[in-house]
Each structure stands twice: as structure tokens, then as C-alpha cells.
Amino acid sequence: MSKIEEEKSKDSAKADLKSVPQQQSCFDKNWILQLNQQKDINIICLICKQVANNPMEINCIQHKNVNELLIVGGNCLTQFLSQNPNSCPVEPHDNCMYSQNQMTKQYISELDVICPRQFAQRQMATQQGHKEGETPGFANCNFKGKVKQVNDHLEHSCCLQMVKCWFESFGCNHTCLKSAIHGHLTSNMKLHFDLVIKSFDALQQTIQQYQVSLFIEEIRKLNLENERLKVEKGEEVALLKQQLKQYQEGNSGQKTTLIEMEKLKKDIESKDNEIQQIKKEIQEKEKQTVEQKENNKNNNFSTSINNMQSTLNFELARSFELTGTFFGHANCVNSIDCSTFDSCQFICSGSDDKTVRVWDIDNDKQIQLFNGHLGPVYCAKFSSYYYHNHRQNVVCSSSDDKTIRFWNIRHNEQLKVFNRHTDGVIGIEFSSFNSGRYLCSGLWDNTICLWDVETSKLLHVFNEHEHAVWCVDISPLQSNNKSNDIGVIGGNGYTICSGSFDETIRIWDIETTKQLNVFNGHKNYVKSVKYGSNELLNTILSGSSDCSVRLWDIRSGQQIQVFNRHTDYVRAVEYSPFIINNEIGGNSNVICSGSRDNTIRFWDIRSNKDELHVIKGDNGISCLKFSKLKKKEKNTKRDTRDLNLFYGSSKGLIHIYG
């Protein structure tokens, strides 16, 4: 057969496959007879003469002497009665009576059949003179099952199902068999890449046009305000000058004293200075608007401690005391995150009890419970992407059930699920750039996955670790990073760090997907890793089951300090917002660690001597988080300090220190 004839056969197959009867139609008798005997097929629709689907029994009084079942398909009966109101499909008369025959329906649903698409394909092959199995250009579906299983097969597992190209949203309108989609994607990679680039270019142009229009509108408003102030302040200056002139000319015969003259001059100078200050403020605002346009800083929403505007003297940590406890989890709390939505303050938590919970800090109560996971929940994070782009309050959670799930807090529902992992998902972290659009996850199968939250696509899998990846982090936002090329996630310079049961910490370049560093030194599982920020931008902090806390220099690849006063597994580490001795510049030089030995310890990163302070918890510290909360009024239950430390315990409690 020539290529042209093969293409015609394929097109004909597509058309024929689309004509497979819908669920409501009666079943083709020849299709049923593929796996059943003629003598067993006696439930024939009186109207279409095919095997009745959703069989209805005719019960009219006029046919009471008939010795056989009078059966019609439900859809055929509906169509007949719409064209022949009050009549009967057996013989013409009024007031047709019928009822559903459950036994017959059950009998039909248990009949063995092959895939209806495969049957249609065989019929077409027969019409074209081909023998079974020799039809060129066709795939074969080997499904054999019950009639009641057909719809599920057609929808979820049939290889003859017609699907659209994955890049349909970018302009590719190709449709083909499900089994052929990977061949299409492989052979048209350049076409799809060009379509994506074209789409991104158009989107970038639209964004730039929108930003320019906003920028122009802002400048216009500033200019109008400038002119208004010029007129307003100019009128005041003119009035003062007129008063001064009147005094100088001896207005109303009054003699101006030297003191009054000096006072008026000072008033004029003061108003002139005020105008100059206002002009300076407007110019500064214009400059800030331009810088904001150039830098395109989208990350206004963040829940991490890196966004705190100032560090606090360490004496505040020494005065921390327990101010509250949240009860609810029935097992170990593995993760805590903090956030503020619409001026309301919340924390979310994930636990071994397979639940994700959201707590209202202001009102000291649980407001949401999500229990859709089938295994322990290892991590829970607020999604800045959904809040920034869709004004939705969303929690993201990872579980041993191999999924990452997104939960809508307000509507108490699952928003989406990432289920392409091959093993349990442990740690997750959102990107600091692009408003948290990207998400990385660490797995029991030794890999790290990078996801696009917007498209739900798996972008890359990093797989150099030799054991489970327990924890991950993404490098913080880089204010001096101007690059944001199309096709490069976040621009140049952003990295992922990961801690593993293989006792190593590794750094990965997001743009090139290459491994950059491997840090060796821990003698047991690495359970927590964190990037530093500001002056500590080139450092990584880690905690391990070897009971130690370690600080690493990314540039040199060397360990800077080791802190080893803990007596059990270190489950959590954080760069704290504190400084010691009012250090000039106010940059934090204190780190914090939580351990299964029931202690939270504070350390000076400039020295590996004894810890600065110890908070004794209970039931083992499994996770911790600093949060800068709005201050409470006096005489309330919680202290008025605006910095709080939350920690979760192995017994399911969440404690608040402030």
C-alpha cells in the first residue's frame, strides 16, 4: 500500500473511531457477538433491533397476552415517544406503559465484550479487504471485559483514544491516537519549541506594554500633583511677599519693626524650603517607579523570615516564654509555615496523622482541616503564587502517598494534585522568584523534582543523590540579578540545595540543571537545609541525625563551623532574626536549631563555643519557624512583642513562644 493510501486509511480510522455509539445508544449486536453466543443474546430492542441498552419493558394492558418480554432501549424509547406522543412502539395505541427491567439491565452489563473502538477498526479493515492484524497504520487495543467496564476503559486506558497535542494552548492543533502522541511530540520538538517561544514573546510584549502604560500613568499623576503643589505653595509665597511689601511701604501708617521684618523673611524662606522638599520627594518617587519597572520585583508576598525589615537584639530571645499551644494533630507535626492574608495571620501544619491543618493565630483556633492524603504529610507551605496572581489562599502539602496537593483554604477543597512522583514526597519549597511559581520536591527515590505551579508540568528531575532526599531549599531572591531571559527559569544564578540520607548536601543550578557542589561532613542523615540571606547569602545551614548543626561556605565548598551540643537528631535549623552585642549594620549573627532531645538552641555563627541560649520544649522538637506578627493590644492573652517562634512536637502539639 502506498503512503497516500496509508494516510487515507488513518484518516478513515479516525473518522470511524469517532462514530463509536455513545453510552445511551443500544449496543451493536455484532459487537456483542464477538465474545458471546447467539443463543445468549435475546434481549433485542424492538425499535432498532440491536442489543438493548438501559432496557425498558413495555407493560401496556393491550399486550398482556404476549408470552415474551417486550424490551426497548431507553434512548430509543425516548426518541420514539418524542416523535409519537402517548403511542406505543409495539403497536399504535394511546397511554403506553413501561418500566425499567433491572434484571435484564444487570444481565446485559455482565456480558463480555472487546473494545468498541477495536471492533469498529476491525469492521473497517474488513470493508477494505484486510485480514485481522494486517491493517497498516493501526494500533490494536486488547481490552476484554464486561459491558459495565467499557466506559471507564474508553475514558482512561484505551490506546485507540483520540487525544490533542500537549501544546494545543500554544497553537498546535494536531489530534491523534493516544498511543501515537509521544511519537508526535518527539518528531515535532522544534515546532513546539518555536510555538512556546512565540507565545512567551507575545506574553512578554503584552506585559511590557502593560507596565509601560502603568509607568506613564504614574508619571502623569506625579506631574499633576507637582503642578498642583507648585500652584498651591506659590500662592502662599506670593501672599507672604505681598504682606512683606505692605509692611515695607508702611501700610496703614504702621511702622514695621525689625523683628516683624525678620519673621516674615523666615516664613518666606520656610515655604520655599518646603516647596523644594516636596519637589525632591516627587523626584525620588519618580526614580523609585523607574527602578521598580526595571527590576520587575514581583515578590511582594512572602512568609519567610528573610523579608523581616530589621534584626532584633538577642536579649529578646532570652526573654521568650510560652504564650500558647494549638491542639489537634494526633501524631508528629513535621512542618510549620506562617503567612498573612488580608491582614489576618495564619499558620499551616502537616503531620504524620495524614492531615493538613490551618490555624488562625489572631483567634487561637483551627479554621481548616484537609484529610485527603493517604499517607503521612511531611511538609506544608503557603503558596505565594496563588495569592499573588489569583488572590486565593492556598496551602501546598507533600506526602508519603507520592503526591503534592494544593488546598483552597476559603472553599475547603482540593485545588490540584501533582501525582507523577514515583515514591513518597518529603520536603518541598517554592521559588523566591516569579512570585513562587516554581516548586521543588525531595523524594524517597533519591530524586528532586522541579515543577511549574502554573501549568502543573514537571520540568526536570535531579538524580545524583544515592539515598532519599529529605529536605530542599531554593536560593533567596537576588536584587542585583537583572537577567530574566525567556526560557530561563528565574534568570541566571538561582540554585537548589538538598539534604539527603546519603549524608551529603548538594547544590544544583536551576538554569543548566547541573550539579554544582557536594558538601561532605555529616555522619548521618541530613534532615534540614537552609540558604542564608543578605551578608550570609553565600552560606548554607544544615542539621543532621548525627546531632550536629553545620554552617557551609558555598563559594569555597568548605565547612565554616560545626555546633554539636545536641544529644539527639537535629530535625530543624533556621537563620534567626537576632544579633548579638548590637553589631553595626544589624545583620543577624545568630542561628537556631531544634532537636529530638527536646531543646531549641541558639548559636553565634562567629564561634563554635557553647550555645547562647536554650529553650527546653517537650516531646521532641520536629520543626520550627520564626514569624513577625502584628502587635496585640494590651491585656490580651499573648505578649505584645511582634516576633514569635512556633515549633511542632513529635506528640502533635504546636507551641508558640513570644
Side-chain angles (χ1 to χ4, degrees), residues 27-74:
F27 302 119
D28 188 323
K29 184 164 59 176
N30 293 325
W31 173 52
I32 299 294
L33 288 173
Q34 294 288 309
L35 297 180
N36 299 277
Q37 299 297 320
Q38 176 71 51
K39 61 183 179 61
D40 298 327
I41 310 303
N42 55 6
I43 309 171
I44 304 299
C45 174
L46 295 172
I47 298 175
C48 69
K49 309 306 180 185
Q50 302 295 337
V51 178
N53 183 13
N54 190 23
M56 308 295 291
E57 182 178 357
I58 304 301
N59 301 319
C60 306
I61 299 175
Q62 289 85 341
H63 319 308
K64 63 181 180 180
N65 295 325
V66 178
N67 294 326
E68 60 179 345
L69 288 176
L70 301 177
I71 299 295
V72 294

Side-chain angles (χ1 to χ4, degrees), residues 80-318:
F80 176 84
L81 294 177
S82 66
Q83 299 172 4
N84 305 277
N86 299 321
S87 187
C88 176
V90 179
E91 61 183 28
H93 65 78
D94 293 337
N95 301 318
C96 178
M97 300 177 64
Y98 50 87
S99 63
Q100 192 171 63
N101 193 313
Q102 292 293 342
M103 292 184 61
T104 304
K105 183 177 181 180
Q106 179 66 25
Y107 175 78
I108 293 174
S109 69
E110 294 294 332
L111 291 174
D112 294 319
V113 291
I114 65 173
C115 172
R117 293 192 178 106
Q118 179 67 30
F119 173 70
Q121 182 171 280
R122 288 180 181 177
Q123 283 188 316
M124 185 182 64
T126 301
Q127 293 171 3
Q128 295 179 351
H130 299 290
K131 295 181 180 180
E132 183 176 348
E134 295 181 353
T135 310
F138 288 128
N140 288 314
C141 178
N142 298 319
F143 169 80
K144 290 183 180 180
K146 306 294 184 183
V147 169
K148 63 184 180 182
Q149 299 170 338
V150 168
N151 289 325
D152 181 71
H153 162 70
L154 293 176
E155 183 176 353
H156 298 106
S157 60
C158 182
C159 64
L160 299 179
Q161 180 182 358
M162 302 300 291
V163 296
K164 295 181 179 180
C165 176
W166 295 358
F167 292 86
E168 179 190 18
S169 60
F170 294 99
C172 181
N173 298 319
H174 181 78
T175 302
C176 63
L177 293 176
K178 187 176 183 179
S179 58
I181 188 63
H182 289 290
H184 165 73
L185 295 173
T186 302
S187 60
N188 293 275
M189 291 179 63
K190 185 178 185 306
L191 170 64
H192 294 151
F193 179 78
D194 291 341
L195 288 174
V196 172
I197 293 299
K198 183 178 179 181
S199 177
F200 276 125
D201 287 343
L203 180 60
Q204 185 185 38
Q205 185 176 3
T206 301
I207 293 173
Q208 289 176 346
Q209 291 174 349
Y210 178 69
Q211 290 176 334
V212 169
S213 63
L214 288 179
F215 175 69
I216 293 174
E217 178 63 18
E218 183 69 17
I219 294 299
R220 186 185 68 81
K221 290 180 179 179
L222 289 172
N223 288 335
L224 289 175
E225 180 68 11
N226 189 15
E227 293 299 323
R228 186 186 68 79
L229 291 172
K230 283 182 181 179
V231 173
E232 186 178 292
K233 298 304 178 182
E235 290 175 353
E236 293 183 12
V237 172
L239 179 60
L240 289 171
K241 288 182 177 180
Q242 183 180 3
Q243 292 176 354
L244 176 60
K245 184 177 180 181
Q246 289 174 349
Y247 276 116
Q248 290 173 335
E249 294 175 350
N251 183 42
S252 301
Q254 296 179 1
K255 187 175 181 180
T256 304
T257 66
L258 182 60
I259 296 176
E260 290 173 330
M261 292 284 290
E262 289 299 325
K263 181 178 180 300
L264 285 171
K265 287 181 179 180
K266 289 181 179 180
D267 286 343
I268 292 173
E269 291 175 356
S270 176
K271 293 297 180 182
D272 281 335
N273 290 335
E274 187 177 347
I275 290 175
Q276 295 302 320
Q277 182 63 29
I278 292 173
K279 287 182 178 179
K280 184 177 180 181
E281 291 175 359
I282 292 175
Q283 290 173 353
E284 183 65 25
K285 191 172 183 180
E286 290 177 347
K287 181 180 178 182
Q288 291 174 357
T289 304
V290 173
E291 291 177 350
Q292 184 177 9
K293 173 180 177 292
E294 292 176 350
N295 293 333
N296 191 22
K297 293 180 180 179
N298 294 323
N299 292 282
N300 296 326
F301 168 86
S302 175
T303 60
S304 72
I305 199 66
N306 294 332
N307 278 356
M308 289 188 176
Q309 297 300 314
S310 62
T311 51
L312 304 169
N313 191 285
F314 187 70
E315 293 305 314
L316 178 60
R318 298 185 191 276

Side-chain angles (χ1 to χ4, degrees), residues 341-372:
F341 297 133
D342 303 323
S343 300
C344 298
Q345 298 167 128
F346 304 95
I347 64 171
C348 65
S349 54
S351 167
D352 279 348
D353 65 9
K354 305 180 184 179
T355 68
V356 178
R357 299 171 190 256
V358 182
W359 315 80
D360 185 331
I361 299 175
D362 299 324
N363 296 305
D364 296 315
K365 66 178 183 179
Q366 177 182 302
I367 62 169
Q368 207 56 269
L369 166 65
F370 302 109
N371 56 7

